[in-house]
Amino acid sequence: MPLLRERNREVTAVALLDWRPAYLRTDAADTSLLLSLLGTGTLLDYLCGQSCVAEAGTLTVVPNFQWNAGYVEAVRAIAPQRS
């Protein structure tokens, strides 16, 4: 019976929309609102923790700006891909 329950389990997907407000826009900065500091971590770190509590199966970060490799590395360092 446990297998039947597992198959019927709902999977939650979380999509986080990220943006870079004017006060964070610089040529050298690989930052955004989700990568902004919040206490001892970042906003993204906090939201990842909350998505784990909610047992989210998928977490997707969607930036609305031109991102670069530094941004991708920063996001992956905080929110590594989960299976």
Side-chain angles (χ1 to χ4, degrees):
M1 196 66 165
L3 288 176
L4 182 59
R5 288 184 192 155
E6 185 66 24
R7 288 183 186 164
N8 291 331
R9 195 178 113 198
E10 294 180 17
V11 176
T12 304
V14 175
L16 300 174
L17 303 177
D18 196 8
W19 79 90
R20 198 174 278 162
Y23 62 88
L24 293 176
R25 290 184 193 150
T26 65
D27 292 336
D30 294 325
T31 190
S32 65
L33 189 62
L34 287 177
L35 296 176
S36 297
L37 294 177
L38 177 69
T40 59
T42 63
L43 180 58
L44 179 58
D45 187 40
Y46 173 76
L47 293 173
C48 285
Q50 294 303 305
S51 70
C52 288
V53 170
E55 297 181 359
T58 304
L59 176 73
T60 304
V61 175
V62 182
N64 77 339
F65 51 86
Q66 185 64 37
W67 46 268
N68 58 25
Y71 173 80
V72 173
E73 289 173 14
V75 169
R76 286 191 177 151
I78 296 168
Q81 296 177 347
R82 298 191 309 249
S83 55

